[in-house]
Amino acid sequence: MADTAPANATATPTDTPEQAKFRAHCQQWLATNHPGQPTVKLPQGALELSDPAALAWLQAWQKSAYDAGLIGCDYSKETGGGGLTNCQAIANHEMLRAKTPYLPNIIGLGMAAPTVYFHAQDEVKQALLPKLLSGEEIWCQGFSEPGAGSDLANQQTFAEKKGDSWVINGHKVWTSLAHFASWMILLCRTDKNDKYNGLSYFVVPIKAALGKGVTVRPLIKLTGETGFNEVIFEDLIIEDKYRLDEVGAGWKVAMTTLAHERGAGMLTTPSAGGLVTEEEKGTAVNSAAALIQLAKDSYRDGKTSADDPVIRDAIMQMIIRQEGFRQNQRRIGAKALNDHPMRLPLQFKLVATEIGQDIAQLAYEIEGIGSSLNVTDANAPGGGQWPLAYMNSFGITIAAGANEVQRNILGERVLNMPKSK
Amino acid sequence: MAQATNFGFGEDEAMLRDSAIKFFDDNCSPDKLHGLVAADSDVNRSNECHWQQSLWQQIGELGWTAACIPEAAGGMGMPLVAAVALAEEAGKAAFPSPLISTFNASFVLTAAATDNANKTLAEIATGRAASLAITNEKGSWEGSDTDVEFIDGKLSGTAYFVQDARKSEILVVAAKSAAGVGLYVVNADSTGITIEADSIIDLTRDQAHITFDKVSATEVAAAGDGDSAINQAMPSILCITAADMVGTGEWLLQTTVDYASTRIQFDRPLAFFQAVKHPLVNVMLAIDAAKSLTYNAACAISQEPENGEKLARMAKSAASDMAVFSSSRAIQFHGGIGFTWECFVHLFFKRQMHNQVLYGDAKYQRAKLADLLMGKAA
């Protein structure tokens, strides 16, 4: 909520001198270089991108923020980063405050970059990370397969060593942004006799291999949008230098990816505002505070939703949950108030996605029967964004390890309960 | 004004908290507690107040009651998060003591900010136990609602739902006269005071209604100033109550996780089954949100008081719902054992039941919060 204590406020007293200087730079740059309202229609998030013009507009924004040093701040200079320490969170916070658009290379920044950074050869890092951070090259993630969803280690895509190269065959699915991606992070099998130690991890130049061993086919989501795909590998040959870490160490490398995907990694993921519409208008999906204005502007059973005590209570519940989540992120930094170092970080994905889903479902109720109108209907309240957000919310409660898997992880790794398998 | 990123919980606060952890480890294990407060399971047992006064004296010597009292009034002037941490640990031990009631009385006296209030605070800082007698028969949490009157310099009437009344030496009483509600301090053993203990569910506390019959008292807030002092202190009171629930909830979580990890049924530990494992993870999520909201609110009360009330109501709401959830799951997952008197869980379950409704349950807090954030409903 804009009007309650932010986790990090403008002149944070605990900024190091380097951080304080960097924060001032971010504020100064954003004051004159905000890209303004988009000139093309943007979807609700980067994972829904399907229009090349929308992608190009967002790539230009990511490139300008990268050139100004707001993206990749904590990566080394040799890999195209800023060479700073703990400054990405500051850039993120300033971009959030400035309500900048979201960044299009979301999988590259959130998952591929830290994995490449921690596990690739220097030559590969230096070649790939600058264009990843700038957004010039989009990345996708080849983890899920038809038979490997929650049971991620059940990989069947196979990489066979032939001379100095690898030959890849298999079938990846639910692959967001593959239709735009130059590169894929790929988890696959190199040994059929060992479930976990038989996995290896590669970076794959998929765009360069389209039609030459790689086929990308769009999948249509339940919303009717595209954005994710299936990817078929047929005798794709790649160089050994694109292997990350040792043969057989794929599961370990995948843990680096997943830790960052779930918000529990070593490096802070660059993220910009994403508030394409404003909280005050009641249309900022993913914001509980926006529900207040929405309820004042909406009718439910013929009456103003904001006057219904049941709706008021439900809105307060959501605001409290979202503020609790934000304060959890702040508490991670207060070591004396954490008994177990992974207890809060491992909750991030689970809690964030369920709050987002429940906010959208409550907005759906607040809008009453008007919620029945699709984004394609001119009379849809708020352009139909809330019902769309609700439908899309299942993407992230399922992806990155379904939330049921997240609960197993928390129960087993934080609370030390016996494994459920 | 910006809040400190560490909630203002620094080295001094951590040291104080660590001393509390050791104190409760040494003195208040669950089996000792059960022996103290639950030795008699007879439903018609006498309504005695079970607690260890010697431990309370040690607490006074450790300086806990002085921690958050302003230095000008003889205290240590620590931020509210220090008391929150102590209340959290007291909750984890379900500790029978007037610690919470004394904190809450000191918040009201600090808000009153008169010379007489400071004199009482100085006494509390030395370890004297206190409690608030500010609630009416209908259980209103509004500072302006009291059934006690102040007439011709004397208190008359009855205060209800007074926490840890029989453990407290000092009472801070809200009483009304023609000029409005004032606050008055009396010694609990003064002539004209009758303390009638309530028979309550929570075995780790006591509660009473207290009747005043023309009792002389010292004015600590003038008539007309008392309700605003209570309202000003209420966010701190809510934080302390929420902190107690967070600590109690953590004990319930860890104890239930331990039990579910060792109790075998169908050849497996209970916690192998996701029907048990996942709700326990949900309890952890609820505790963590309530804890972060509680430290956030306590920090705001010290560093940006204009946001104190709404953040404290968020904390108490989250903590009250968590109290129900953590305690209900603890009983349920302890199975038939959990439903017995001999199992320690009921002590913590009942403490959560008490905490849930004390100073307003979750729905009450959210109704107040909605008025603050949305304006009143038409």
Side-chain angles (χ1 to χ4, degrees), chain A residues 95-213:
Chain A
M95 287 191 279
L96 180 73
R97 277 166 33 89
K99 298 189 175 175
T100 57
Y102 54 79
L103 302 170
N105 203 11
I106 182 171
I107 291 168
L109 293 169
M111 286 155 265
T115 311
V116 169
Y117 191 69
F118 288 117
H119 298 281
Q121 302 175 14
D122 286 347
E123 179 204 333
V124 172
K125 274 190 238 189
Q126 289 162 15
L128 300 186
L129 285 174
K131 285 185 177 173
L132 184 163
L133 296 172
S134 71
E136 289 165 83
E137 290 185 339
I138 300 296
W139 284 63
C140 66
Q141 177 191 23
F143 274 31
S144 293
E145 295 184 1
S150 290
D151 186 7
L152 181 62
N154 189 35
Q155 297 284 314
Q156 301 303 319
T157 295
F158 196 72
E160 187 181 5
K161 190 82 187 281
K162 283 208 175 146
D164 289 337
S165 299
W166 293 88
V167 180
I168 298 171
N169 280 285
H171 184 179
K172 293 290 171 181
V173 74
W174 308 306
T175 317
S176 295
L177 295 176
H179 51 300
F180 289 133
S182 300
W183 292 87
M184 171 191 275
I185 43 175
L186 175 75
L187 181 65
C188 63
R189 181 157 299 289
T190 45
D191 180 350
K192 291 179 179 169
N193 296 317
D194 190 326
K195 184 171 179 182
Y196 288 92
N197 296 314
L199 300 173
S200 298
Y201 200 117
F202 298 87
V203 291
V204 182
I206 62 164
K207 188 178 266 179
L210 282 176
K212 293 175 277 185

Side-chain angles (χ1 to χ4, degrees), chain A residues 351-372:
Chain A
V351 176
T353 58
E354 291 185 352
I355 288 175
Q357 189 163 83
D358 292 349
I359 289 173
Q361 171 54 222
L362 177 55
Y364 186 83
E365 289 186 319
I366 289 170
E367 288 184 335
I369 186 63
S371 283
S372 63

Side-chain angles (χ1 to χ4, degrees), chain A residues 232-259:
Chain A
I232 315 291
F233 295 102
E234 291 163 300
D235 291 330
L236 173 71
I237 296 169
I238 62 164
E239 294 175 62
D240 186 52
K241 70 177 179 186
Y242 291 135
R243 172 171 49 80
L244 303 194
D245 217 299
E246 301 301 319
V247 175
W251 188 251
K252 182 184 85 179
V253 181
M255 290 304 111
T256 301
T257 310
L258 293 178

Side-chain angles (χ1 to χ4, degrees), chain A residues 43-124:
Chain A
Q44 288 181 340
L47 294 180
E48 280 79 55
L49 277 168
S50 58
D51 173 11
L55 174 68
W57 190 87
L58 288 165
Q59 278 178 301
W61 147 240
Q62 181 169 338
K63 177 75 161 57
S64 71
Y66 170 75
D67 289 342
L70 272 60
I71 293 170
C73 327
D74 300 338
Y75 285 80
S76 69
K77 288 194 168 165
E78 297 72 37
T79 59
L84 302 173
T85 305
N86 296 331
C87 282
Q88 188 63 58
I90 287 167
N92 291 355
H93 181 241
E94 294 303 329
M95 287 191 279
L96 180 73
R97 277 166 33 89
K99 298 189 175 175
T100 57
Y102 54 79
L103 302 170
N105 203 11
I106 182 171
I107 291 168
L109 293 169
M111 286 155 265
T115 311
V116 169
Y117 191 69
F118 288 117
H119 298 281
Q121 302 175 14
D122 286 347
E123 179 204 333
V124 172

